[in-house]
Amino acid sequence: MEHKLALIGFGTVGQGLCEILLSKKELLRKEYGFEPRVVAVSDMLKGSVYDPDGLELEKLLELAKAGRSLEELDGVKEKGWDALTTIANCGADTVCELSYTDIKTGQPATDHCRAALGQGMNIVTSNKGPAALFYRELQELAAKNHARFMIEGTVMSGTPVLNLVRNTLAGNEISAIRGILNGTTNFILSQMETGREYEEVLAEAQKLGYAEADPTADVEGLDALAKVTILANVLMGENLTPDDIPCRGITRITLDDINQARNEGKRWKLIGEIRREGGKVHAEVAPMMIPLEHPLAGVMGATNALTFSCDLMGDVTINGPGAGRIETGYSILTDLLEIHRGKEG
Ligand code: HSE
C-alpha cells in the first residue's frame, strides 16, 4: 500500500530515514506491503521541494551531502514552500517532523505538529520538544482528527521503548522506570573513569556527534529530563511537564568523585527515574552512585538502557543505541510501519 510522506527538516535524521527507505525499498514492499512515496521535503536552511509524483531521494541526499540547496533538484512541481505551507498543501498521509529540538519552547516543531494533526495527517517525530511539553494536547488533537501522533524515536532513538511497553509488554502494570537516557553524559562519565578530564571528553562527544547542538542540554540533564517526562506521560498516564521534575546534571562531578565511587565498588551514572509509590508518581533526573553488580552499572559509552519494573514480568531491561543518524532514522521507520499495519488491519 502506498504511503505519502512529507519530511519537515532534512538534517541527520531525515537523511538517515531516506537512506533506509532506499536500502530497504524491496524488503519493505515484499515483507510488509509498505511503499512510501516522499512527496515533500522542507528544510529551513537546505530549501524546499514538492512533487506529488514523488521526489528522487538519491538526488536529494547527494545535494544535502554536497551542502547544496535541495531546490537544485530538477523537474519538481513546487519549490520554496516553508514548513507550514508544505503541511497545508502537500496532501501527505504522514508528516515526519524532523526539525531541530528546542527543549525549552518546543518550537517551531509543535506548530508543525498542530498544523498536520489538525488536518488529519499523522505525525511521526523524534523531536523531544513537542513530545515532552505538549504530549497530552497533541495526542488529543490526533484522536479528534483520526490521526496518529507517534514518538518512538524521542527516547533511545530506534531502540524500542514506547512501542515495546505498549505492544509487547501489554497487560503489565509498570511501577517504575529507571535508566540511562543520555549518551553524551554516559560517554563522559565512562571516559572520566580512565582519568580523562571532563572538558576534554565533552569536546570529543561533540566531535562524535552524540551531544546536542548546545551540549548544556546534555550535561545539565535537560535532555534526560525531556525523556523522563515523555516516559511518565506516555507509559504511566501522567500529565507532567519538565518543570515538575527535579533535575541535576553531571557538571559538578569531579575525577575525585569518580575515584571515590570506584573505591566503594560503585560507579556514577546520570539516572532518569519514575516511581509509582502510594498512588503518587515521583520522577527525577540526577547523578547516582550505582553498585557495580547492578545491570545499569555495566552500560558504558554512549549506550542507553532502561529497566521497567512490571507486575507480571518483574524487571525487564533493554539497552541499545540512544542516538545516531541511522538509529534515529530507523525509529521513524518503526512508527511508519506501525501506522501502516493499523491501516492495513
Ligand atoms: N544528545 C542526546 C544524547 C542525543 O547524548 O543522548 C539523543 O537524544
Side-chain angles (χ1 to χ4, degrees):
M1 190 189 293
E2 187 181 83
H3 195 117
K4 281 185 268 176
L5 302 176
L7 274 48
I8 303 301
F10 201 61
T12 47
V13 183
Q15 291 175 41
L17 172 67
C18 287
E19 285 172 34
I20 296 172
L21 294 182
L22 285 170
S23 67
K24 297 281 178 178
K25 187 174 173 180
E26 272 314 295
L27 178 132
L28 292 173
R29 190 181 59 77
K30 268 203 204 141
E31 295 289 323
Y32 310 109
F34 179 63
E35 295 179 82
R37 171 150 46 114
V38 177
V39 296
V41 175
S42 178
D43 185 282
M44 270 169 81
L45 302 173
K46 300 182 178 76
S48 175
V49 282
Y50 162 75
D51 199 301
D53 294 332
L55 299 166
E56 282 181 84
L57 301 186
E58 292 95 339
K59 295 224 168 115
L60 284 177
L61 286 168
E62 264 172 46
L63 288 168
K65 291 202 162 102
R68 288 160 60 191
S69 168
L70 304 182
E71 295 177 17
E72 288 184 37
L73 193 66
D74 291 326
V76 298
K77 188 149 184 247
E78 294 285 348
K79 294 180 181 180
W81 283 351
D82 65 14
L84 290 174
T85 308
T86 301
I87 292 166
N89 296 291
C90 67
D93 302 300
T94 298
V95 172
C96 301
E97 209 301 322
L98 310 173
S99 69
Y100 63 91
T101 291
D102 182 328
I103 292 176
K104 295 216 168 105
T105 68
Q107 293 294 14
T110 302
D111 282 345
H112 302 159
C113 295
R114 288 185 179 125
L117 295 171
Q119 275 181 245
M121 298 153 106
N122 308 301
I123 280 281
V124 174
T125 187
S126 54
N127 193 317
K128 287 155 277 185
L133 296 168
F134 303 104
Y135 176 71
R136 188 65 71 86
E137 175 205 321
L138 295 169
Q139 191 59 44
E140 285 172 5
L141 185 61
K144 191 171 141 206
N145 291 285
H146 310 289
R148 307 280 299 270
F149 177 54
M150 304 289 285
I151 58 171
E152 177 63 56
T154 58
V155 182
M156 287 179 67
S157 70
T159 305
V161 171
L162 305 179
N163 294 331
L164 171 78
V165 174
R166 274 192 304 225
N167 298 338
T168 313
L169 291 174
N172 282 280
E173 282 169 46
I174 309 285
S175 58
I177 303 174
R178 188 168 198 246
I180 296 165
L181 290 163
N182 181 268
T184 301
T185 46
N186 206 49
F187 176 77
I188 293 173
L189 293 172
S190 301
Q191 288 290 316
M192 282 173 79
E193 284 195 29
T194 65
R196 294 177 70 194
E197 288 289 346
Y198 171 87
E199 285 80 12
E200 179 196 336
V201 187
L202 172 59
E204 190 181 340
Q206 286 177 289
K207 234 193 251 163
L208 289 168
Y210 308 139
E212 297 293 304
D214 175 0
T216 321
D218 295 297
V219 296
E220 297 290 2
L222 301 178
D223 176 73
L225 174 65
K227 294 166 182 167
V228 162
T229 312
I230 292 167
L231 290 167
N233 292 346
V234 177
L235 299 182
M236 293 176 89
E238 293 302 302
N239 191 16
L240 301 177
T241 69
D243 287 341
D244 299 324
I245 300 173
C247 173
R248 250 180 322 125
I250 64 157
T251 50
R252 289 197 211 124
I253 299 208
T254 62
L255 281 178
D256 283 347
D257 295 324
I258 301 266
N259 290 333
Q260 193 196 330
R262 184 187 297 126
N263 294 337
E264 291 178 26
K266 294 180 179 164
R267 180 170 269 158
W268 283 100
K269 294 287 176 195
L270 182 67
I271 298 292
E273 178 169 72
I274 310 145
R275 309 182 305 276
R276 201 186 292 284
E277 276 169 4
K280 281 201 165 168
V281 162
H282 304 270
E284 179 181 15
V285 173
M288 297 183 195
M289 279 207 278
I290 305 285
L292 288 178
E293 57 276 12
H294 190 281
L296 293 178
V299 178
M300 302 299 275
T303 304
N304 286 191
L306 269 182
T307 300
F308 299 99
S309 301
C310 310
D311 60 344
L312 302 176
M313 279 300 295
D315 280 2
V316 174
T317 299
I318 183 158
N319 70 10
R325 187 179 86 259
I326 292 296
E327 294 84 347
T328 313
Y330 173 69
S331 76
I332 305 299
L333 177 64
T334 61
D335 278 345
L336 290 172
L337 286 172
E338 173 82 10
I339 293 172
H340 172 69
R341 279 190 287 265
K343 270 170 52 171
E344 283 206 316

